[in-house]
């Protein structure tokens, strides 16, 4: 959809702004308000500065990173002493992060205090939401570094950013226009996210049914003897993982065999406890686990299984399951991920050991059936994965559209004024 432009423009003299409407002003932010930095009591971990019933919320970078731009809650509150040693922000005030998630703007919806990882604008002469929109688009940071954690912001750099300012009535029209248009885009994004959740649920249901009931809907069934598993095909075995696999934790890395880069001498990946399929710690010249095995995460997000079709090594937080009969074992990776709910150990960090995982029960169809189930699931999950990727791509495009729309509106590239009456 195209939008009208203003009839006359002038050079702004600012690269990120380009030409702006002839009647708009162009000023540095510090002309609209002093730019001040937050503050915090020291040492910040002293409990006397905190009170769950305190009047002021304590804003951390994580709180801003997690919110949608309007700060409605935080995980901590300050005591009266703590808030007296920080900088207080009232509802409706704008502040911007200059550490962690650098450059993210936020408008307080509650009484809050900010530390020196933020800057704020105590006497802003324009609507805070307009300046918020400028920061939200991110293009005003051009020349100050890469958007995100690479930015180098402080009170001087933020104050020196030059922005285009329309007359008050037009500024309000810009905000109304953006609220309406971004609201439409946000709803489309929400629809795509709902679709992704439905695809994930459907994918999981298809896998769970295939690995526990098989592909023949007319197969005679029998009780598995396990409450959470229910009935299974009559001719299937239900056995412990230790019956099918040799289970061993990854080991300490040997410096003599390690390299951070892959090469002919160091060709084998060393897998970490990450859920990402190809997330490697480094490479080794001496692999410890053969192809056609399964790795299972032993700490953190425990119990996630990944089929490995190549030689590799693994760090100690990863369990490697090697089939005793050297038969294809990808079926069991599907089963573990879709059916088994592992329980962590009794230590402070959730973890699985080889001893803990070995008693868990799995269905064990005949080899031809396992191969048929894997072939079926690879075809079916590919369909779900394709649709999920399409939804993710749509979200990326919608976010790009949203950013471009905000940028165009706050720089005057869209005439948001109502058309003149005849």
């Amino acid at each position: 959809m195209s939008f009208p432009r203003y009839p006359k423009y002038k050079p702004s003299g600012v690269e990120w702004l380009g030409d702006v409407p002839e009647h708009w002003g162009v000023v540095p932010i510090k002309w609209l308000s002093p730019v001040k930095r937050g503050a915090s009591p020291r040492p910040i971990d002293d409990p006397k500065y905190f009170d769950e019933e305190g009047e002021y919320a304590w804003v951390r970078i994580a709180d801003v990173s997690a919110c949608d731009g309007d700060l409605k809650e935080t995980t901590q509150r300050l005591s009266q002493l703590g808030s007296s040693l920080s900088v207080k922000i009232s509802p409706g005030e704008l502040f911007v992060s200059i550490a962690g998630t650098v450059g993210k703007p936020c408008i307080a919806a509650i009484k809050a205090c900010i530390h020196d990882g933020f800057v704020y604008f105590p006497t802003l002469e324009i609507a805070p939401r307009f300046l918020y929109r400028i920061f939200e688009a991110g293009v005003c940071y051009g020349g100050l570094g890469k958007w995100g954690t690479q930015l180098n912001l402080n009170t001087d750099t933020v104050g020196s950013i030059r922005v285009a300012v329309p007359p008050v009535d037009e500024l309000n029209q810009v905000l109304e226009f953006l609220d309406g248009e971004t609201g439409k885009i946000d709803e489309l994004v929400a629809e795509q996210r709902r679709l992704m959740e439905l695809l994930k649920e459907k994918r999981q249901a298809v896998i769970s049914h295939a690995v526990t009931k098989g592909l023949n809907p007319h197969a005679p069934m029998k009780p598995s003897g396990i409450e959470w598993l229910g009935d299974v095909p009559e001719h299937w075995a239900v056995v412990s993982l230790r019956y099918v696999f040799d289970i061993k934790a990854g080991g300490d890395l040997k410096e003599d065999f390690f390299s951070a880069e892959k090469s002919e001498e160091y060709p084998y990946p060393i897998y970490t406890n990450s859920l990402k399929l190809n997330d490697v710690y480094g490479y080794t010249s001496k692999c410890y686990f053969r192809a056609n095995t399964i790795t299972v995460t032993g700490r953190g997000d425990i119990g996630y299984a990944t089929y490995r079709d190549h030689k590799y090594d693994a760090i100690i937080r990863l369990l490697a399951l090697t089939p005793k009969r050297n038969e294809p074992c990808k079926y069991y990776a599907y089963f573990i991920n879709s059916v088994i709910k592992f329980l962590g150990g009794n230590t402070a960090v959730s973890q699985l050991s080889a001893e803990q995982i070995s008693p868990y029960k799995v269905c064990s169809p005949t080899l031809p059936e396992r191969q048929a189930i894997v072939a079926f699931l690879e075809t079916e999950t590919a369909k779900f994965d394709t649709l999920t990727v399409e939804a993710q791509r749509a979200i990326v495009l919608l976010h790009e559209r949203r950013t471009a729309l905000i940028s165009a509106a706050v720089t005057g590239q869209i005439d948001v004024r109502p058309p003149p009456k005849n």
Side-chain angles (χ1 to χ4, degrees):
M1 182 177 179
S2 60
F3 297 99
R5 286 171 56 81
Y6 284 91
K8 292 183 180 180
Y9 286 82
K10 65 183 179 183
S12 69
V14 181
E15 184 177 355
W16 79 269
L17 285 174
D19 293 343
V20 298
E22 191 176 50
H23 60 292
W24 284 29
V26 178
V27 297
I29 289 174
K30 61 188 174 184
W31 286 17
L32 303 173
S33 169
V35 181
K36 300 291 186 179
R37 199 163 185 167
S40 63
R42 294 286 192 272
I44 191 53
D45 57 352
D46 193 323
K48 70 184 178 185
Y49 298 130
F50 295 90
D51 180 354
E52 292 181 0
E53 304 299 323
E55 181 180 6
Y56 287 88
W58 175 238
V59 185
R60 300 175 305 156
I61 297 296
D63 297 315
V64 171
S65 301
C67 80
D68 60 1
D70 291 300
L71 184 75
K72 300 174 183 176
E73 61 180 356
T74 66
T75 58
Q76 294 179 300
R77 304 190 74 84
L78 292 178
S79 65
Q80 186 173 357
L81 175 61
S83 63
S84 70
L85 298 173
S86 183
V87 169
K88 297 172 181 175
I89 296 290
S90 300
E93 281 195 77
L94 169 71
F95 57 99
V96 177
S97 61
I98 58 172
T101 307
V102 181
K104 183 169 181 178
C106 197
I107 291 181
I110 54 176
K111 290 183 176 181
C113 286
I114 58 172
H115 57 68
D116 57 7
F118 301 98
V119 295
Y120 69 108
F121 312 88
T123 57
L124 193 58
E125 295 180 4
I126 61 173
R129 182 66 62 177
F130 187 79
L131 192 54
Y132 169 90
R133 289 294 192 181
I134 292 174
F135 288 129
E136 183 185 25
V139 290
C140 65
Y141 299 122
L144 300 179
K146 184 180 178 182
W147 167 251
T149 57
Q150 298 294 319
L151 278 173
N152 181 19
L153 297 182
N154 53 44
T155 55
D156 290 335
T157 55
V158 172
S160 65
I161 294 172
R162 299 181 70 193
V163 298
V165 181
V168 173
D169 57 341
E170 283 183 44
L171 184 149
N172 292 328
Q173 289 165 354
V174 169
L175 292 178
E176 288 180 13
F177 167 82
L178 285 176
D179 287 345
E181 295 300 319
T182 59
K184 296 174 187 176
I185 294 174
D186 292 342
E187 180 53 37
L188 291 174
V189 170
E191 289 179 5
Q192 293 299 316
R193 295 197 188 281
R194 287 193 291 269
L195 172 61
M196 289 171 64
E197 283 301 312
L198 290 173
L199 289 169
K200 182 180 179 180
E201 292 173 6
K202 180 64 175 175
R203 186 184 193 275
Q204 177 77 357
V206 167
I207 295 173
S208 295
H209 187 275
V211 299
T212 60
K213 310 301 179 187
L215 304 180
N216 180 5
H218 306 294
M221 308 296 282
K222 68 177 180 182
S224 66
I226 303 171
E227 183 178 355
W228 53 264
L229 187 54
D231 292 347
V232 299
E234 193 174 57
H235 62 289
W236 284 17
V238 178
V239 298
S240 300
L241 278 171
R242 63 173 168 247
Y243 180 83
V244 183
F245 295 98
D246 290 319
I247 305 172
K248 182 180 178 181
D252 295 329
L253 302 178
K254 305 298 189 294
E255 186 175 342
D256 293 346
F257 309 121
F258 176 80
S259 171
E261 302 294 333
K262 185 176 182 179
S263 66
E264 290 185 7
E265 185 179 358
Y266 300 93
Y268 306 114
I270 303 169
Y271 289 112
T272 72
N273 201 49
S274 170
L275 298 187
K276 297 179 181 178
L277 178 62
N278 297 314
D279 196 359
V280 300
Y281 179 83
Y283 297 88
T284 181
S285 60
K286 185 177 181 180
C287 69
Y288 285 86
F289 302 106
R290 61 176 171 79
N292 183 43
T293 58
I294 297 171
T295 57
V296 176
T297 53
R299 293 188 187 176
D301 294 310
I302 63 172
Y304 184 80
T306 302
Y307 177 73
R308 306 293 183 184
D309 62 359
H310 50 272
K311 296 178 179 180
Y312 64 96
D313 195 4
I315 64 172
I316 197 167
R317 293 184 295 276
L318 206 60
L319 301 176
L321 282 59
T322 303
K324 292 184 176 182
R325 298 181 184 179
N326 199 24
E327 294 177 345
C329 66
K330 193 171 187 178
Y331 160 86
Y332 295 104
Y334 279 119
F335 188 98
I336 292 170
N337 284 337
S338 64
V339 180
I340 296 181
K341 299 293 184 283
F342 291 109
L343 300 177
N346 295 323
T347 58
V349 178
S350 293
Q351 59 184 354
L352 278 178
S353 65
E355 291 75 18
Q356 288 172 307
I357 194 176
S358 62
Y360 280 89
K361 302 292 186 181
V362 293
C363 289
S364 186
T366 65
L367 177 58
E369 283 181 289
R370 296 202 302 270
Q371 292 174 314
I373 290 170
V374 168
F376 168 79
L377 289 177
E378 287 182 340
T379 299
E380 293 303 306
T381 56
K383 297 175 185 177
F384 291 115
D385 294 344
T386 297
L387 293 173
T388 300
V389 168
E390 290 176 359
Q392 291 171 331
R393 185 180 299 116
I395 289 174
V396 170
L397 292 174
L398 286 168
H399 280 309
E400 290 176 353
R401 166 69 173 164
R402 189 181 192 278
T403 298
L405 186 69
I406 295 171
S407 178
V410 298
T411 59
Q413 306 311 303
I414 301 174
D415 188 347
V416 301
R417 299 174 300 181
K421 297 180 180 179
N422 295 328

